[in-house]
């Protein structure tokens, strides 16, 4: 605080004087009571932690990738071993059939290679086990007894099967090959999927069998998705489809889902009656096959499906998933499918295409709208979009 006193005298104005008193007060207007050094230290720690997180994630991804490289190496070694075993058996046969053709030197050499290959396999298996343990250790999936634990999402699914009994999704081969079975299972668990319409295409048979087994063990049904439109191209398409069904017996599938779309053909409108008859034959014969093999049957249909097909589906008791795509206003789609739904009745199901919606909240509202109209059997198209969502 400063005081100031001034005295002014104006001689030209009859000696008038003007005294003045001034006071200056300085106050610090700082309301920030924070501790700046501590804040800087905390921000630095956060940045360090995020960097460590990023490094750990990168390391886990590298370990995961390396683990599958090792699995491929192990598979190659086992194939080599089988080849050597075949050669050894051939030499044994020679020794029994013709002593002249049998060569002890060749047999001994193959035996050495066989033993060496077995040792390589054991080494590779040990390396795989070590990598597996290190990955689980880094990822935090170890309990107090140092035994690997299942990820929590999978663990919960085994203990509490809370899947939506009326929620399905489509899974195509290209996306199936991009993800591990565990990643796919986690998608289904997080989104409460109970049924998967699965088209394996040219996927690895071992992975496919393991996928079906894991799904079944967690209460998720797997239907074989058949989406080859050529079955509707000619009258003998039904016979071809029956032959196809014969190749997928005893693979663990709970049902068949047909996604055959003759309406995509250029001559469909001119020959709609012919295609309708072919589709009805496909539905009836496939239903008969599924009943014999104790499997369920469902189909995907467009919104403009002829009533003649709908009547057959209703009579056979086949759930029909209406492909309600390209419009997020499902009130309009419900109006467009009123006659179709009246015929189907309780066999009405609904397929939602995720990319038609702006947000997850829009999907929730649409599901509620469908429930209000008595439609509870729903499917998401498709699993790849569900993963992104």
């Amino acid at each position: 605080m400063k005081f100031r006193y001034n005295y002014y005298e104006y001689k030209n104005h009859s000696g008038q004087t003007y005294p003045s008193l001034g006071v200056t007060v300085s106050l610090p207007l700082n309301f920030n009571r924070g501790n700046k050094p501590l804040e800087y230290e905390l921000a630095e720690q956060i940045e360090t932690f995020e960097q460590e997180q990023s490094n750990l994630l990168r390391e886990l991804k590298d370990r995961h990738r390396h683990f599958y490289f090792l699995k491929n190496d192990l598979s190659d070694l086992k194939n080599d071993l089988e080849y050597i075993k075949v050669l050894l058996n051939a030499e044994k046969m020679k020794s029994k059939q013709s002593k002249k053709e049998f060569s002890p030197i060749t047999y001994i050499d193959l035996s050495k290679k066989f033993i060496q290959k077995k040792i390589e396999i054991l080494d590779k298996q040990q390396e795989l086990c070590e990598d597996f343990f290190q990955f689980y250790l880094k990822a935090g999936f170890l309990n107090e007894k140092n035994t690997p634990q299942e990820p929590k999402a999978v663990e919960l699914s085994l203990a509490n099967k809370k899947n939506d009994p009326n929620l399905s999704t489509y899974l195509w081969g290209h996306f199936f090959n991009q993800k591990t079975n565990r990643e796919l299972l986690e998608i289904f668990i997080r989104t409460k999927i109970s049924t998967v319409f699965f088209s394996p295409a040219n996927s690895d048979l071992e992975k496919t069998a393991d996928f079906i087994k894991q799904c079944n063990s967690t209460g998720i049904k797997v239907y074989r998705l058949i989406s080859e439109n050529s079955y509707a191209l000619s009258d003998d398409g039904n016979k071809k489809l029956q032959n196809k069904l014969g190749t997928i017996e005893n693979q663990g599938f709970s049902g068949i889902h047909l996604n055959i779309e003759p309406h995509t053909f250029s001559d469909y409108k001119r020959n709609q009656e012919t295609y309708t008859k072919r589709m009805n034959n496909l539905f009836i014969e496939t239903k008969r096959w599924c009943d014999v093999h104790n499997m369920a049957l469902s189909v995907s249909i467009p919104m403009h499906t002829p009533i003649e097909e709908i009547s057959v589906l209703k009579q056979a008791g086949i759930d029909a998933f209406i492909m309600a795509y390209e419009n997020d206003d499902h009130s309009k789609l419900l109006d467009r499918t009123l006659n179709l739904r009246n015929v189907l009745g309780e066999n009405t199901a609904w397929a939602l295409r995720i990319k038609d919606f702006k947000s997850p909240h829009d999907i929730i509202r649409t599901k509620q709208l469908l429930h209000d109209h008595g439609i509870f059997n729903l499917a998401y198209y498709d699993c790849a979009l569900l993963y992104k969502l």
Side-chain angles (χ1 to χ4, degrees):
M1 181 178 294
K2 297 179 181 179
F3 292 94
R4 182 181 68 256
Y5 174 76
N6 294 323
Y7 178 82
Y8 300 98
E9 181 180 355
Y10 292 91
K11 297 181 179 180
N12 296 331
H13 293 82
S14 304
Q16 285 184 312
T17 58
Y18 297 91
S20 69
L21 179 66
V23 179
T24 301
V25 180
S26 298
L27 295 175
L29 299 179
N30 183 6
F31 298 101
N32 184 7
R33 298 182 179 180
N35 189 328
K36 284 295 181 183
L38 185 59
E39 290 180 12
Y40 293 144
E41 182 180 353
L42 182 60
E44 185 178 358
Q45 289 179 358
I46 291 174
E47 185 177 351
T48 302
F49 176 74
E50 290 177 348
Q51 184 62 44
E52 289 176 353
Q53 262 191 328
S54 177
N55 293 340
L56 177 60
L57 180 60
R58 191 180 304 110
E59 181 183 351
L60 288 175
K61 287 183 177 179
D62 291 341
R63 285 183 178 277
H64 187 269
R65 189 181 302 109
H66 182 246
F67 180 81
Y68 276 90
F69 284 152
L70 290 176
K71 284 191 69 175
N72 291 334
D73 292 343
L74 180 61
S75 179
D76 292 340
L77 288 172
K78 289 181 177 179
N79 290 335
D80 293 343
L81 185 68
E82 289 298 319
Y83 178 68
I84 296 173
K85 191 183 295 184
V86 170
L87 295 179
L88 274 172
N89 290 334
E91 288 299 317
K92 286 182 180 179
M93 292 298 294
K94 288 180 182 179
S95 67
K96 295 178 180 178
Q97 295 174 356
S98 174
K99 297 292 184 180
K100 295 181 179 180
E101 295 182 7
F102 175 70
S103 171
I105 297 176
T106 303
Y107 187 83
I108 293 171
D109 183 56
L110 287 173
S111 298
K112 287 181 179 178
K113 290 181 179 179
F114 183 83
I115 294 173
Q116 183 61 38
K117 196 63 66 173
K118 290 281 285 186
I119 294 173
E120 290 179 26
I121 288 175
L122 290 172
D123 290 340
K124 191 65 67 174
Q125 288 175 334
Q126 180 180 354
E127 189 178 356
L128 265 169
C129 289
E130 291 173 355
D131 268 35
F132 180 82
F133 181 82
Q134 287 296 325
F135 178 86
Y136 267 66
L137 184 66
K138 287 282 186 179
F141 294 147
L142 292 176
N143 64 9
E144 296 176 355
K145 295 181 181 179
N146 291 331
T147 55
Q149 297 295 301
E150 293 289 338
K152 291 183 179 179
V154 178
E155 202 173 67
L156 286 173
S157 71
L158 294 171
N160 305 308
K161 296 177 181 176
K162 296 180 179 179
N163 296 336
D164 188 331
N166 302 302
L167 198 55
S168 310
T169 192
Y170 296 77
L171 175 60
W172 304 94
H174 63 88
F175 186 71
F176 173 74
N177 293 327
Q178 293 174 13
K179 300 296 176 184
T180 65
N181 290 345
R182 186 169 297 280
E183 286 176 318
L184 292 167
L185 201 62
E186 186 174 350
I187 297 171
F188 304 148
I189 292 166
R190 286 182 180 275
T191 51
K192 299 183 179 180
I193 295 295
S194 63
T195 306
V196 180
F197 304 143
F198 174 41
S199 175
N202 297 319
S203 303
D204 177 73
L205 295 178
E206 184 178 351
K207 183 186 178 187
T208 300
D210 179 65
F211 170 74
I212 297 172
K213 182 180 178 180
Q214 287 197 43
C215 285
N216 290 337
S217 67
T218 55
I220 299 173
K221 298 177 182 178
V222 182
Y223 284 25
R224 179 59 163 86
L225 173 59
I226 297 177
S227 56
E228 178 54 63
N229 293 338
S230 63
Y231 292 128
L233 268 177
S234 60
D235 292 334
D236 64 346
N238 187 39
K239 183 179 180 180
K240 293 179 181 178
L241 177 56
Q242 296 303 307
N243 292 336
K244 175 68 175 180
L245 293 174
T247 65
I248 59 179
E249 291 183 52
N250 305 319
Q251 293 185 6
F253 290 107
S254 301
I256 302 295
H257 185 90
L258 298 181
N259 182 36
I260 301 172
E261 304 179 73
H263 61 274
T264 59
F265 298 150
S266 59
D267 65 335
Y268 176 77
K269 290 185 178 180
R270 298 193 304 272
N271 302 289
Q272 183 172 325
E273 185 176 347
T274 299
Y275 285 117
T276 297
K277 289 180 179 179
R278 289 174 183 170
M279 290 302 296
N280 285 341
N281 287 333
L282 291 174
F283 295 150
I284 293 170
E285 292 301 319
T286 305
K287 174 62 175 174
R288 186 177 292 119
W289 186 92
C290 287
D291 289 342
V292 170
H293 293 84
N294 195 28
M295 295 172 69
L297 174 63
S298 59
V299 300
S300 294
I301 59 172
M303 288 183 287
H304 50 74
T305 301
I307 294 298
E308 291 81 4
E309 285 185 36
I310 300 301
S311 300
V312 169
L313 293 172
K314 174 59 180 176
Q315 187 175 2
I318 300 172
D319 287 338
F321 286 80
I322 302 171
M323 295 183 285
Y325 301 158
E326 299 180 359
N327 195 332
D328 61 351
D329 186 356
H330 281 252
S331 297
K332 294 181 180 179
L333 300 182
L334 286 166
D335 291 338
R336 285 178 57 186
T337 58
L338 181 59
N339 294 335
L340 184 152
R341 292 186 290 110
N342 285 338
V343 176
L344 278 175
E346 63 182 10
N347 294 113
T348 302
W350 203 263
L352 302 170
R353 192 170 64 174
I354 294 174
K355 70 177 184 179
D356 291 335
F357 298 89
K358 296 178 181 178
S359 71
H361 297 290
D362 292 336
I363 298 178
I364 294 172
R365 284 194 291 270
T366 298
K367 286 174 65 177
Q368 185 58 53
L369 174 66
L370 295 171
H371 289 169
D372 294 340
H373 283 77
I375 304 174
F376 299 96
N377 203 356
L378 307 177
Y380 288 128
Y381 185 90
D382 60 76
C383 187
L385 297 175
L386 189 63
Y387 175 75
K388 292 179 180 179
L389 178 68

